[in-house]
Amino acid sequence: MDGISQSPSPVKAIERDSEFYFEGECLIFEVQSRPFRVPSRKLIEHSGWFKDMMEFPTQSTEGDTDENPILFQQVNADVFRNALRWVFKGSDLDLSFDQWVEMFRFARNFQFDQLERYCLDKLVTPWPDPMGQLNFCREFDLPYLWAYNAYIQLCKRPRPFTIAEVRKMSDWQLFSTIAYVRESYLKGNVQASLITIGWGMDEWSPPQRSNISWKSPTKQQIEAWISEAQSLES
């Protein structure tokens, strides 16, 4: 009504993270409207991205208060919290498959190299969607040996590929190789190859990023893997 002043809307209280809001010399990050207050030293030790950010200090007060935090756009609060558990507590994380994938993406984006390798060790097991594992391998320029299990799954399965799966495969040359080996396997024509991969999956470890390069395996290599898998099953 005219002449009656309205009360200002109440200011919504800021809900700080209950696990990672420390005292002392820290930086404040806001992720999905939730402030996290953590020491920068540990982040710098593990992340090239944070190290680069802190090497060029400015006069800005960003990160000093809840009202003026460092904003993390397009980062999930649960993913960020799990990453902090690994950084500050050395926790052996118990995550679902999808959470490991999201954690890897976070680690790659913010250059947590050790966390990235940790995630890859967790994700090297057979995926629910082997075609998705090959695309993941290609997307992030991982060595093809990391997706060893996916090639075995796709080449040995009796069910034919669906149209959706064919469209999903981003590398047509690789798909044609897998289709050829699969057909040979189903006809019983896959023989042990003279080409060996030189090491087993138990001995595999992710290389340094400078040495990572996507490369499709040859038909002979896939055949050798299938023969090796068959000998282990018998």
Side-chain angles (χ1 to χ4, degrees):
M1 298 176 59
D2 294 342
I4 299 179
S5 61
Q6 295 183 351
S7 300
S9 301
V11 178
K12 184 178 180 181
I14 297 176
E15 185 177 355
R16 296 170 173 174
D17 189 76
S18 59
E19 186 175 356
F20 289 99
Y21 197 92
F22 301 137
E23 299 300 326
E25 187 174 347
C26 298
L27 286 176
I28 299 175
F29 302 92
E30 183 178 302
V31 185
Q32 290 189 317
S33 303
R34 181 181 297 272
F36 292 76
R37 193 170 191 268
V38 294
S40 60
R41 178 179 57 83
K42 293 287 288 183
L43 295 175
I44 292 172
E45 288 178 8
H46 290 281
S47 165
W49 186 89
F50 280 98
K51 181 179 180 181
D52 291 343
M53 181 182 73
M54 298 304 296
E55 280 184 349
F56 301 98
T58 65
Q59 299 300 318
S60 172
T61 58
E62 187 179 26
D64 290 348
T65 65
D66 288 353
E67 292 72 27
N68 189 28
I70 298 173
L71 296 177
F72 265 24
Q73 305 289 348
Q74 298 180 335
V75 174
N76 180 276
D78 290 334
V79 173
F80 189 64
R81 188 180 299 106
N82 281 324
L84 294 180
R85 286 171 180 158
W86 182 84
V87 169
F88 289 97
K89 300 181 179 181
S91 299
D92 187 9
L93 303 175
D94 183 17
L95 306 180
S96 68
F97 169 79
D98 289 338
Q99 286 174 321
W100 280 120
V101 172
E102 289 304 312
M103 180 64 72
F104 173 84
R105 292 183 182 276
F106 173 86
R108 172 59 67 91
N109 288 339
F110 292 98
Q111 300 174 18
F112 284 86
D113 290 346
Q114 292 181 359
L115 179 57
E116 179 180 320
R117 291 194 288 271
Y118 178 61
C119 292
L120 287 178
D121 285 342
K122 298 294 184 178
L123 290 169
V124 76
T125 55
W127 283 30
D129 175 17
M131 197 78 76
Q133 186 175 15
L134 294 186
N135 285 333
F136 180 89
C137 188
R138 181 177 176 83
E139 177 185 353
F140 290 103
D141 203 24
L142 302 176
Y144 62 77
L145 183 60
W146 178 81
Y148 167 93
N149 287 297
Y151 295 107
I152 300 295
Q153 286 177 276
L154 291 173
C155 292
K156 291 181 65 177
R157 79 176 203 185
R159 178 169 52 89
F161 295 116
T162 66
I163 297 299
E165 286 177 321
V166 174
R167 290 174 176 170
K168 190 174 184 179
M169 173 58 74
S170 57
D171 187 331
W172 281 98
Q173 182 176 357
L174 175 58
F175 177 79
S176 63
T177 301
I178 291 174
Y180 177 86
V181 175
R182 175 182 170 274
E183 182 177 358
S184 297
Y185 171 78
L186 294 179
K187 291 180 178 179
N189 295 330
V190 172
Q191 303 295 328
S193 174
L194 295 176
I195 299 178
T196 61
I197 56 178
W199 62 89
M201 286 305 298
D202 291 340
E203 301 170 349
W204 179 84
S205 60
Q208 297 297 319
R209 180 172 299 161
S210 60
N211 295 329
I212 289 178
S213 179
W214 165 262
K215 177 184 176 183
S216 299
T218 65
K219 175 179 70 67
Q220 291 84 358
Q221 284 172 310
I222 299 177
E223 290 175 346
W225 295 343
I226 294 177
S227 297
E228 181 182 359
Q230 286 178 294
S231 64
L232 294 175
E233 293 170 359
S234 59

